[in-house]
Amino acid sequence: RFGLFPRLFRQKIARQLHPAADLQLFRNANVNYLRSLYYPFSEAFLRLCDEAGILVEQSAPVDQVGQNLPANQNAPELRDLFLGQYREMLLSGRSHPCVLLWSLGNESVWGDQFKRELEMTRKLDPERLINFHYPMTIPQGDWIPDVWSVQYGAWNLESDVCYDQMIIFHTHGADNPIGYATGKAQDYCLPVLHDAYALVPVYDRDALEKEDGIHEFWGESLSRFWSNIRNTPGALGGAVMAAVDENGELFPSLRGYCYGILDGSHKPKPEYWHVKMAYREDPFSLQKLSGLWRIANSALRCEIDPATGLLSGLWLRNRKLLCAGPFLHTGRFRLDSWELASLEVEPMEKAVRIHTRGSYGETCKVSFILDLTETGKLYTVCRIEQLNRPMPHQVKSGIGLDPGGLDEWGLRYLLPSDMDTLQWNRRALWQEYPSDHIGRPRGTAGRSSRSDFTSLKAYITDASVSSPMGVVRILPEGPLSLRLRLDGQSRCVLDDREDGNEFIQVIWDGPWYPVTDRAGLANETEMMSRQENAACTVHFTGTGLTVYGSTDRIRGCCDIWLDGLPAARNVSQHTPAAQVPAMSRGYEKRYHTVLFSADSLPMGEHECRIVVTGTKEAVSQGTYISIDSFEVLHPDFPKEISMILCKDYNYPRLTQGNYMRPAVMIQTGNEVSCQLSFEEKGGVEQ
C-alpha cells in the first residue's frame, strides 16, 4: 500500500538511526506494503520487515533507463553490470518472506538487460511475482508481467485498467470524464498495482508558502483514491509517495522537497493521520435502527438487542456464526433473569466497543465488555461487579464431602443449530491416549457422537466449532475449558405453566398441584400429582418429544401412552438407588431429568399421555409424579448449541474418597475473558 525512498533507510542505517521505529510508525498507520525506489532495500531492512510483517516490492538498482537517463537497456557492454547487481539483490533477498515481488526496473524502457533479469529471476526464485514499472514498453508477445504497474493515475480513473502511464496527459475530447488521454492494454486481464499515487504536497510551492491547510486537503485525494482501489477487486493496492522527508544530506538538490508522511526528524506529519485513517482495514459503520444496534463492515455484521444489551447475532459474509450472548454461566448456582442497566456502543481505533452493565435479578451485578475488531476478532470480558448470594456450601455426602462451590463458571454463547463439528487441542493428563478416547489431547468430534461432542474439553490451547459454512475459533488467553450443550430452540420448549405454543399444547386432567423450587427447575416451577388416573395430555407437531421432571424420595410411577398405544409402563421417578446413599438429607432431589423421550416419529401431529398410577417402588415414601417442561423435536428447528467457556470447573459430588478440585467460588471483582475469531469454511481467518 505504501511506498518509500530506500535511500533514506540506507542513510539512516549508516548514521546509526533506528528504522525499526519508523516501521512501527508505518504499521501503526495500517501500512502493510513498502516499495523500494531507485535501488533495493538493504538486507538489514528486509529482516526488520520480516519481523514487522510488512510486504516489500524489492526494486532493481536501476531507474529512468531510456527516459531521463541514457537508453542503455540494450547495450551489450553493460549487461554484466546490470546482471551482477541484480543477481546480488536476488540472492540476498530471496530468503526473506517479506519480499512479495521483484521489480525489474523503475520507470524504464524495456530492453535486453531487463529480459535477462527476468530470466535470472525465473531461475533463482521462480515462485515470486515479477513487476516492471513501464509495462507498456514491453513489445507484445515478448512477456506479460504478473501484475500491471500504473503510476500517477487520477483518483477517479478506473483502478483496475491496464493503463499506459507513459502518455497520460490532459486532452480535450478524451474518452474518460477527467479528460486524460490514456493508452490501454485492452486484452490484458491482470491485477493492477498503483506503484505511486497520491503524491504528498511538495510541488505546489505557492500553497505551501501561503498556509498549511494543503496538508489537510491532501487527505481528500487519498481518501477518494483508496476508496476506489478498496472497492475494485482487480486493484491490488498501491504506494503513497513517500515515507520520510528528504533532508538534503544524500541529495542536496532535493533539500526542502518534503515528500514524506514523516518529517526529517522522523515524526508524523499531518499526512500521516490521513494514511492511518484511509488504510484502516475495514472500518465499521454503526447504525441505531428501530429495535437494534447494527455494527457492520464488508465482511462482518453484528446486531445488538437494545433491550438486553447483548448480541442477537453475528454474521460473517451472511453466514450466521453466533446467535446470542454473552451470558454469565454458573453451574449449580441458579441465576435470575437478566435485566439491562446500561448499554454503550462506541467506535475505537479499528474496533467497536460494546459495554453492557446489568444484573441477574437480585443475584449479582455483571458487566460485559465486547471489542469487535475490523479484522474479525471478538474479545469478551465478563466482570462480577457485585455478588449478593452465597455460593453453594460444603455438604457431607455419603463417604466424602461435597466441597461446595460451582460445577462450572465462565461465559456462554449460543451458536447456530447447524454447527456439527468440534476440533480441539488441549493439555491432557497423559501423553498417549487411544484415538477414540474421550480425553485425548487433540481430536475431532461430530455431533452424531454426542458424548464426545458435548463432554468437557479441559484446558484447551485452541479449539473450533464449525458448520458446513463457517467456523468459530476459540483462542484462549489463559486457562480455559470448553463444553458444548445442545439446547432446544425456545419455540420448541414449553414450561409446565404454559398451556401451549405453535408446536405443543397441554391438557391437565385431575388434581395437579403447582410447586415452586428455585434450586434447579426449568422455570422454577413444576406440576405434581399423586391422584390415580390424573393425566397430562400433550399434543405436539414434530418427530419426537421429551418430557422433563424431577426425581425425589416421594415419587411414584406413571404409565405413558403415545398415539393411543402404550409406550412405557410403571415409569418410576424415585431417585435412582445408586445416588441415595451418597446424598445428605435434603439433597435427594434431582432436577431436569428425562421422564420420557421418543424420537424418529413420522413428521406430523402426535399425542403423548402421562397417567398417574398411584403406585410406587417399595423404597419410595410417596406416589407423586412431577412434570417440569416439554421439548418437541422438529426438523425445521434443530437444537442450538451453547458454547460454554469455563474459567474453572469441578465435579463436587464425586465423593467416595475420590479426588476433587478445590471449591470453585466466584466473588465480586472476578473476571473471565475469551477471544473468538471467525472464518469461512475452508477459507482464511477474518
Side-chain angles (χ1 to χ4, degrees), residues 192-207:
V192 173
L193 181 62
H194 293 263
D195 286 299
Y197 76 99
L199 182 71
V200 169
V202 63
Y203 293 123
D204 189 350
R205 307 305 299 178
D206 291 341

Side-chain angles (χ1 to χ4, degrees), residues 32 101 110 115 118 134 352 373 405 421 451 463 530 570 621 636:
N32 68 350
L101 73 163
W110 184 257
K115 186 182 299 186
L118 170 66
Y134 273 171
V352 172
T373 72
T421 305
S451 174
R530 63 177 181 178
N570 294 318
Q621 300 175 16
D636 294 338

Side-chain angles (χ1 to χ4, degrees), residues 323-340:
C323 292
F327 309 99
L328 175 64
H329 174 71
T330 53
R332 217 164 67 139
F333 183 76
R334 185 174 177 81
L335 297 171
D336 296 328
S337 298
W338 172 254
E339 301 170 4
L340 176 66

Side-chain angles (χ1 to χ4, degrees), residues 540 561-567 601-602 605-609:
F540 65 96
W561 300 73
L562 184 61
D563 292 335
L565 299 174
L601 302 177
E605 296 182 358
H606 301 276
E607 178 188 274
C608 178
R609 186 171 173 82

Side-chain angles (χ1 to χ4, degrees), residues 386-680:
Q386 183 177 328
L387 185 64
N388 301 320
R389 273 175 43 198
M391 292 284 98
H393 51 264
Q394 292 182 348
V395 177
K396 183 69 172 71
S397 183
I399 303 173
L401 183 70
D402 177 337
L406 308 178
D407 293 341
E408 302 167 342
W409 97 276
L411 288 167
R412 180 172 68 90
Y413 275 99
L414 191 62
L415 305 181
S417 56
D418 62 350
M419 293 288 187
D420 58 7
T421 305
L422 168 66
Q423 291 183 301
W424 71 92
N425 289 284
R426 72 180 196 91
R427 297 193 299 275
L429 180 61
W430 312 114
Q431 294 290 329
E432 297 180 10
Y433 280 82
S435 61
D436 59 349
H437 195 283
I438 201 169
R440 59 197 184 278
R442 63 192 61 84
T444 300
R447 187 167 174 167
S448 58
S449 303
R450 181 161 180 167
S451 174
D452 207 6
F453 188 70
T454 60
S455 62
L456 182 78
K457 309 305 180 190
Y459 304 124
I460 58 171
T461 54
D462 67 82
S464 65
V465 190
S466 60
S467 71
M469 302 300 291
V471 182
V472 177
R473 190 170 301 281
I474 303 105
L475 307 169
E477 297 180 329
L480 202 66
S481 302
L482 169 66
R483 183 167 68 84
L484 302 180
R485 187 181 73 202
L486 301 180
D487 294 329
Q489 297 193 37
S490 58
R491 68 180 68 198
C492 297
V493 176
L494 188 75
D495 186 61
D496 65 285
R497 300 302 166 89
E498 300 174 293
D499 293 328
N501 61 25
E502 61 181 311
F503 296 130
I504 317 172
Q505 291 78 41
V506 179
I507 301 172
W508 303 93
D509 297 317
W512 288 87
Y513 305 101
V515 175
T516 300
D517 186 337
R518 289 177 53 87
L521 296 171
N523 202 30
E524 301 182 0
T525 64
E526 63 185 333
M527 297 290 280
M528 291 177 58
S529 180
R530 63 177 181 178
Q531 179 65 48
E532 184 179 358
N533 293 324
C536 171
T537 304
V538 185
H539 297 278
F540 65 96
T541 302
T543 60
L545 179 73
T546 300
V547 181
Y548 295 95
S550 62
T551 64
D552 203 350
R553 302 185 83 172
I554 61 170
R555 297 287 189 261
C557 298
C558 64
D559 291 336
I560 299 175
W561 300 73
L562 184 61
D563 292 335
L565 299 174
R569 294 283 194 179
N570 294 318
V571 177
S572 175
Q573 282 189 277
H574 183 264
T575 298
Q579 293 184 347
V580 174
M583 297 177 184
S584 293
R585 295 292 299 147
Y587 286 82
E588 304 96 337
K589 191 171 183 179
R590 291 292 182 265
Y591 298 92
H592 203 62
T593 61
V594 176
L595 174 61
F596 172 73
S597 184
D599 57 17
S600 302
L601 302 177
M603 176 59 195
E605 296 182 358
H606 301 276
E607 178 188 274
C608 178
R609 186 171 173 82
I610 304 156
V611 182
V612 180
T613 65
T615 62
K616 64 180 183 68
E617 293 185 56
V619 294
S620 180
Q621 300 175 16
T623 60
Y624 284 100
I625 291 299
S626 158
I627 296 179
D628 181 5
S629 60
F630 313 89
E631 182 182 338
V632 69
L633 300 179
H634 196 289
D636 294 338
F637 305 99
K639 289 177 181 285
E640 295 175 318
I641 299 173
S642 279
M643 180 176 66
I644 300 169
L645 301 164
C646 302
K647 184 169 185 178
D648 205 354
Y649 73 96
N650 201 6
Y651 295 97
R653 292 194 174 184
L654 192 58
T655 66
Q656 303 295 317
N658 279 296
Y659 164 77
M660 286 177 287
R661 293 163 55 82
V664 175
M665 313 292 274
I666 59 173
Q667 59 186 357
T668 298
N670 283 168
E671 291 185 352
V672 57
S673 62
C674 70
Q675 176 184 336
L676 305 178
S677 68
F678 309 98
E679 304 172 18
E680 295 180 272

Side-chain angles (χ1 to χ4, degrees), residues 124-142:
L124 296 179
D125 192 8
E127 299 299 326
R128 282 189 174 93
L129 303 175
I130 304 176
N131 189 15
F132 185 70
H133 285 161
Y134 273 171
M136 193 65 81
T137 67
I138 303 173
Q140 196 155 2
D142 195 349

